[in-house]
Amino acid sequence: VAMPSAVRVAMPSAVRVAVRALCLAALLGALGAGGTELTLELPDSAQRCFHQELESGIKFTLDYQVISGGHYDVDCYVEDPNGKTIYQETKKQYDSFPHHTEVKGVYTFCFSNEFSTFSHKIVYFDFQVGDEPPILPDMNNRVTALTQLESACVTIHEMLNAVIDSQTHYRLREAQDRSRAEELNGRVSYWSVGETLILFVVSIGQVMLLKSFFTEKRPSSGMAGT
């Protein structure tokens, strides 16, 4: 956040230290938000499940996206500790599922590629547990307005979160586009090789056909004796 030059000159050293400390806290809060990110390979006719023990009354969010393979779709479902299915989608390219736990125990979420018999999938998912802690102490219980310095730090924190989300989004887009480009390049290569073979066979056939037109046919010996 750029500050006017007059403010920078008149700012005491203690205030500058406080500004740096609060901005650093905002940065660490944005970069250290709890969660698990993973990119996994899902073979054809396969299923992979993950388990997480959670307390009751905790919020979690599951975001996933298929990066490559087939029609870029996958089945996904989430079960609570009692075996109840709380989320189920089939052949989805991407989705987001937020939920507040009602019971304590192990929650299971699975990705399935069982409907595909030959396509391998690469799936990215982000599993976030709990709410992000406030970057300022007693921020949720304050009765006074935030100071200009605190407001600036909160703005920086929100912008950093937006930057992280944008980087993740564009990283996934880049991986997906690269996979599609490589798949298209492979198809073009195979088609080019096929066309080359066809042209080669057609060329040989044409040469042999033209050669047969100009080949002199000699009369048989029987006809010559007569």
Side-chain angles (χ1 to χ4, degrees):
V1 178
M3 294 186 178
S5 58
V7 176
R8 290 200 299 266
V9 173
M11 184 179 294
S13 59
V15 177
R16 288 200 299 269
V17 172
V19 171
R20 293 175 181 175
L22 287 174
C23 291
L24 179 60
L27 175 62
L28 294 177
L31 298 179
T36 301
E37 294 182 77
L38 186 64
T39 302
L40 61 99
E41 182 178 359
L42 193 60
D44 53 282
S45 304
Q47 176 177 285
R48 290 192 176 180
C49 297
F50 300 86
H51 311 275
Q52 179 67 43
E53 185 174 0
L54 300 173
E55 300 289 335
S56 61
I58 297 295
K59 177 186 177 181
F60 71 83
T61 303
L62 175 63
D63 300 319
Y64 64 91
Q65 179 175 343
V66 181
I67 300 176
S68 66
H71 296 287
Y72 300 88
D73 52 359
V74 71
D75 295 344
C76 179
Y77 67 89
V78 181
E79 292 183 351
D80 65 7
N82 298 326
K84 177 183 177 182
T85 301
I86 56 179
Y87 171 83
Q88 185 173 10
E89 290 290 343
T90 58
K91 296 185 178 182
K92 295 282 290 188
Q93 294 184 350
Y94 59 89
D95 202 4
S96 178
F97 173 61
H99 182 72
H100 282 83
T101 61
E102 298 179 355
V103 294
K104 177 182 177 181
V106 177
Y107 286 77
T108 303
F109 58 98
C110 299
F111 300 100
S112 174
N113 193 30
E114 295 177 336
F115 60 87
S116 178
T117 57
F118 58 90
S119 296
H120 283 55
K121 308 290 177 63
I122 296 180
V123 183
Y124 163 86
F125 73 86
D126 181 12
F127 188 72
Q128 297 286 339
V129 179
D131 295 322
E132 184 180 351
I135 63 173
L136 300 176
D138 300 330
M139 183 175 177
N140 296 330
N141 300 324
R142 297 188 59 165
V143 294
T144 59
L146 297 177
T147 64
Q148 185 176 2
L149 176 60
E150 292 172 340
S151 299
C153 291
V154 172
T155 302
I156 292 174
H157 177 73
E158 294 175 350
M159 293 176 64
L160 288 172
N161 281 332
V163 168
I164 293 174
D165 293 339
S166 298
Q167 287 179 339
T168 301
H169 171 72
Y170 287 117
R171 187 173 67 248
L172 294 176
R173 285 283 302 273
E174 188 271 338
Q176 192 175 56
D177 292 341
R178 175 180 297 180
S179 175
R180 289 179 175 175
E182 292 177 351
E183 181 181 358
L184 181 61
N185 179 64
R187 292 183 178 181
V188 171
S189 300
Y190 290 136
W191 180 257
S192 300
V193 172
E195 285 186 334
T196 302
L197 294 176
I198 293 174
L199 288 175
F200 184 73
V201 172
V202 170
S203 300
I204 294 177
Q206 287 179 343
V207 170
M208 295 179 64
L209 181 61
L210 290 175
K211 185 177 179 180
S212 66
F213 290 158
F214 297 98
T215 300
E216 182 181 356
K217 295 183 179 181
R218 297 179 180 180
S220 62
S221 58
M223 294 179 63
T226 304

